[in-house]
Amino acid sequence: MRDEHFKVQMFRFVDVLASLHRGGEIVRHLDEYFTDMRNGFAPLVRTGVQAAKIVPWISGQLLRWNVSGMARQFIAGKNPHDVMKTLRKRRAKNIGFTVDLLGEAVVSEREATEYAARCLELLEYLAGETQGWIDQLGKNSELFPVVNLSVKISALYSQMNPADPADATAHLAPKLRPILRRARELGAFVNFDMESYAHKNITLELFKTLFTETEFHDWPHVGIVIQAYLRDAEADLFDLIDWGRARGTRFTVRLVKGAYWDYEKIKSSQNGWNIPVYLQKPESDVNFELLTRILLENEKNVTSAFGSHNVRSIAHAQALADQLGIDRSRFEFQLLYGMAGPIKRALVEMGYRVREYCPVGELLPGMSYLVRRLLENTSNEGFLRAKFSENVSEQQLLRDPRELLNGAAAPSATSVTTGDRQLPDGASVDVPPGDTYENASLVNFVYKENQEQMRAALRQMRTQLGKKYPLVINGEKIWTGKTIASFNPSSPKEIVGHVTEAGIPEAEHALEAARSASKQWSRTTIEERARLLERAAAIMERRRYELSALEVFEVGKPWAEADGDIREAMDFCLFYAQQMRLIGRPRLTQHVPGEESYQHYWPRGVALIVAPWNFPMAILCGMTSAALVTGNTAIIKPAEQAAVIGAMLMEIFAEAGVPPGVLNFLPGKGSIIGAHLVDHKDVNLIAFTGSREVGLRIWESAGQTRPGQLQLKHVVCEMGGKNGVIIDSDADLDEAIVDSIYSAFGYQGQKCSACSRLIVLEENYRRVMQRLLSAAASLRVGNPEEPGMTVGPVIDKTAYDRIQEYIEIGKSEATLAFQRKDVPAEGYFVPPTIFVDVTPEMRIAREEIFGPVLSVIKVRDLDEAIEVANSTDYALTAGFFSRSPGNIERAKAEIVAGNVYINRSCTGAVVGRHPFGGFKMSGGGTKAGGADYLLQFLLPRVVTENITRHGFAPEETPQYREEFLWPPKR
Ligand code: NDP
């Protein structure tokens, strides 16, 4: 398939087909996927679709039948009984098997238990059916049991979290032991398959832990996978070999290249992680050969299974084994069912041991597996494609991958436009830096070192709890004698810190300081202000774990959520610094002879920053850094519940060198000092994020002009949401369930972006609910000091009581479908709760609850779904899960929300990538982390000069000029 677009459409269509049951639906999708095709296939497809429209029922059936046929090529059987037919045929050809159970992704413990039961059942069946089968080679057969089961570890525990290997082992080991025990009794072999990088370390640890146990330590018929495309592969293999040697019993390593290459690259790029895989295909091939050598050189302790279709990789293993004097019967080649038949035949003829990797499962639900295989078959770099469809010469196929490596171009680094450019109008070559922004990275808790650092930070932070923090006004620390205590919501007896409480006199003092500092700060260069933000970001990076640990204690954030908050704060600093450099310099408005007009910006003056507790560092820092970089001075009023984190932000900016008075830290009661400053004639700008109630009050108050007030107040106002997620009838439920559950219950539903209404089309309502409820029942709820928790405590007693009240309202209005029972008794833990039979006018469907409570609304069709989604006062975020291109386009056009997310979670906006904020009662339409956010903090100004003297004017006027500052600063 040379046409990339056609290929993508084809695979996507195959992927959705399993969820389509009616002929009309199948034809509609076919139409949507293919009719806009502008290539050689177009006339063919158009005719096909036209024909299908005439008899949709028959065409639908025909298509399903055809695709099932395609699936049958790669799936060895629908069920154990079916697969045995295949295995018998293969046996006649001297090909062995390992079976792998296909199915949907496991999203709940119920599904994980079902998978474990299916594994056991399959083992029993295969052992029964293969009795009397003897080894194909009749030599060294004790190393290679006939029955061989490949187990997907992620299918045995739905809550596997890379940050918490101990928890994973604690849940996986009990599910695996019965399978292993029975396999051993039956004389079978069990292989642990390797999946994405996020699960790799856990899988390796689990393997070593289980097979060191007394019961299994002398069992040789166990194997694990090493993926040669991983940079870690060599170290992991040596570690395994050392372990195996110490264990004193053989084991097997299946060496493969790896099947998640695209996924790993995408995921790492999105999170700013080092890419764990080699970027060039020949690098994996080279590594495969290196690992082959290591394996064969350690043949005494480890049995090798080479999983490759690449004749060069295979030939290399053969040659090396010969060289080392290893008999052909002591290792094996593993190839995928349905692929590379001639290679398998040749290997058998040459006297090698060959095993097929045989997926077993229903054909249509196994589509995602099929798509992966099809992609592998047709990928441009795939060996199979080269071998079987492009007739590449033998010499080329057997070429040493090192040669290709040397010749290959180095991977291109993402380029950032920084250089000078000639503008099309020739006006100026002087342009500001480019607008590509590279985000700060998240901490990757896959790595043990990072887990250790977080644990150490938590221990260290515990010793700091209870400290006192001053106000900071005009660069001075001030203690008023009154303090506000901040509590740990997981353990309310624990005081995180005492923050000095400001009253009205301190508010006046802070305002005075901010006003006097304003003159100087507004005249500081953009570059200097941008650098202040960059230094602050660097300090956050240095103190990253400490700050995350503080968030765990003060606001109950799970590890990854806390880290995400610090990353976002860093991003705000770095992004706004870059944006200010982009927009800040005076810019020519128009090229006109004889006159130059430059537009530029002045700060508004004194900014009051009022922040909520739920993204305690990010939101506070975002609004503050925007105010400072634009030349405003600021007073920050953190939320009481997160005041210690506010104090940290002040510390960070002080260390970064913010001049006295430019930033003033004023914790206290919002209703007293917040309200006082909001109403104050000398406050020019209010940046607020918080509840609708307070936001509207601020909006209204700012509209009044007080005696002596010299400037109109500007309000940046971000408020709550009642965010709806629609699940279309053809949605990929593996994705939709996991993402909806995370959107609704991640950080206990206390994100303004959280999903609180799930709108489900009746066609797949039953299936959605079945999977949703068991997924909710499987969530990890508990103290977020433990790694890998999804649901922790809500912020305080007031929130706890309010949410409980809403749960009672829900019980009276709708039907309680699910509520967790096992939440910790201490701390403000609200059990994740799901209501069904909810209708749009109910209070639980309209009011922001801000806790782990989800309302499910069943709708007839997409028309009704969109109507319901848009039927609230709010318009913050929304989600849509669908595989219909037409419906996706419609959702993009019609869903009313500031941030519309398609086929992904509706939380987790990234600075620069997803400018964040809503409208209607969710906010004033500003976008934090977006290109135009800083304009909210600025006043535009234009300076025009007639540059004609006696009829003569310069021919060129620069596009940008230096800032208007006097005396000029160079
Ligand atoms: P609140 O509105 O209760 O508090 C926000 C801030 O306003 C706090 O610092 C509070 O101080 C202060 N405040 C309270 N009363 C006044 C007043 N009269 N005048 C001035 N300031 C006042 O919100 P929460 O902290 O509870 O945050 C949760 C809310 O924030 C949710 O509604 C959520 O949806 C929304 N939110 C919106 C986001 C968005 O981007 N749209 C992002 C994050 C949250 P004190 O702590 O002393 O009461």
Side-chain angles (χ1 to χ4, degrees), residues 610-615 619 637-641 668-671 674-675 678 688-692 694-695 697-698 718-721 751-752 848 850 876 916-918 922:
V610 184
W613 48 265
N614 66 335
F615 289 93
I619 293 181
K637 213 282 322 140
E640 286 170 57
Q641 299 90 332
K669 300 248 180 286
S671 51
V678 163
F688 168 82
T689 307
S691 63
R692 170 177 173 176
V694 176
R697 199 175 309 152
I698 291 176
E718 310 280 353
M719 301 179 293
K751 297 180 191 176
C752 45
E848 188 182 42
F850 222 56
L876 190 50
F916 187 80
S922 291

Side-chain angles (χ1 to χ4, degrees), residues 511-577:
L511 192 50
E512 190 45 47
R515 276 185 52 180
S516 16
S518 176
K519 191 155 178 243
Q520 188 63 27
W521 186 242
S522 63
R523 294 173 29 75
T524 309
T525 62
I526 289 168
E527 188 52 34
E528 216 172 299
R529 300 195 308 247
R531 287 202 187 136
L532 170 74
L533 266 56
E534 285 164 348
R535 287 195 298 275
I539 297 167
M540 287 179 205
E541 174 76 72
R542 192 190 77 220
R543 298 180 60 180
R544 181 154 200 172
Y545 288 95
E546 173 200 348
L547 297 170
S548 293
L550 175 58
E551 292 208 0
V552 171
F553 284 113
E554 194 172 28
V555 296
K557 286 231 174 202
W559 288 19
E561 303 279 349
D563 177 67
D565 193 52
I566 306 304
R567 183 252 200 148
E568 192 177 349
M570 286 162 52
D571 262 341
F572 277 131
C573 289
L574 299 171
F575 180 73
Y576 290 151

Side-chain angles (χ1 to χ4, degrees), residues 355-623:
R355 190 180 297 278
E356 257 185 357
Y357 187 89
C358 297
V360 185
E362 286 299 324
L363 299 180
L364 289 173
M367 284 301 166
S368 54
Y369 174 81
L370 170 65
V371 169
R372 194 183 285 281
R373 289 286 80 88
L374 287 172
L375 277 170
E376 192 169 309
N377 248 330
T378 59
S379 99
N380 293 333
E381 292 186 298
F383 172 83
L384 278 175
R385 176 185 152 109
K387 173 72 189 85
F388 295 110
S389 60
E390 291 192 337
N391 295 322
V392 177
S393 75
E394 202 175 289
Q395 229 172 8
Q396 243 180 323
L397 289 175
L398 289 174
R399 197 156 59 159
D400 186 339
R402 281 167 204 83
E403 289 170 26
L404 294 168
L405 203 58
N406 295 336
S412 63
T414 39
S415 63
V416 178
T417 334
T418 49
D420 292 348
R421 275 185 294 133
Q422 181 76 41
L423 295 171
D425 55 11
S428 169
V429 290
D430 183 18
V431 294
D435 61 358
T436 45
Y437 174 72
E438 208 172 295
N439 291 90
S441 51
L442 288 165
V443 165
N444 190 348
F445 286 110
V446 156
Y447 302 111
K448 223 183 194 134
E449 311 84 82
N450 295 351
Q451 297 163 15
E452 287 306 324
Q453 286 205 62
M454 187 65 189
R455 281 182 205 283
L458 285 163
R459 281 195 298 274
Q460 173 63 20
M461 184 49 66
R462 193 167 273 292
T463 67
Q464 311 266 306
L465 298 184
K467 268 175 63 171
K468 292 197 168 59
Y469 300 87
L471 312 178
V472 179
I473 300 176
N474 210 14
E476 285 168 27
K477 294 181 175 164
I478 293 176
W479 307 90
T480 60
K482 277 174 88 177
T483 55
I484 300 175
S486 160
F487 302 93
N488 177 356
S490 303
S491 172
K493 283 189 262 113
E494 202 162 55
I495 292 182
V496 176
H498 301 271
V499 178
T500 301
E501 183 182 341
I504 304 292
E506 291 77 28
E508 287 290 337
H509 182 184
L511 192 50
E512 190 45 47
R515 276 185 52 180
S516 16
S518 176
K519 191 155 178 243
Q520 188 63 27
W521 186 242
S522 63
R523 294 173 29 75
T524 309
T525 62
I526 289 168
E527 188 52 34
E528 216 172 299
R529 300 195 308 247
R531 287 202 187 136
L532 170 74
L533 266 56
E534 285 164 348
R535 287 195 298 275
I539 297 167
M540 287 179 205
E541 174 76 72
R542 192 190 77 220
R543 298 180 60 180
R544 181 154 200 172
Y545 288 95
E546 173 200 348
L547 297 170
S548 293
L550 175 58
E551 292 208 0
V552 171
F553 284 113
E554 194 172 28
V555 296
K557 286 231 174 202
W559 288 19
E561 303 279 349
D563 177 67
D565 193 52
I566 306 304
R567 183 252 200 148
E568 192 177 349
M570 286 162 52
D571 262 341
F572 277 131
C573 289
L574 299 171
F575 180 73
Y576 290 151
Q578 189 216 40
Q579 287 298 312
M580 193 59 202
R581 289 192 181 105
L582 271 174
I583 64 163
R585 292 160 67 196
R587 185 168 166 271
L588 192 67
T589 54
Q590 217 179 34
H591 287 278
V592 49
E595 190 181 272
E596 58 174 40
S597 286
Y598 283 95
Q599 173 162 340
H600 78 128
Y601 301 98
W602 268 353
R604 288 179 176 268
V606 174
L608 171 65
I609 313 291
V610 184
W613 48 265
N614 66 335
F615 289 93
M617 187 58 98
I619 293 181
L620 187 65
C621 175
M623 295 191 291

Side-chain angles (χ1 to χ4, degrees), residues 29 47 133 153 370 422 513 628 673 890 907:
H29 280 75
T47 319
W133 288 24
I153 300 304
L370 170 65
Q422 181 76 41
L628 295 185
I673 55 158
R890 180 172 174 197
T907 63

Side-chain angles (χ1 to χ4, degrees), residues 873-898:
D873 295 351
Y874 298 96
L876 190 50
T877 72
F880 184 58
F881 287 92
S882 175
R883 284 180 286 188
S884 153
N887 290 358
I888 289 175
E889 281 312 303
R890 180 172 174 197
K892 285 179 182 170
E894 292 197 340
I895 294 182
V896 181

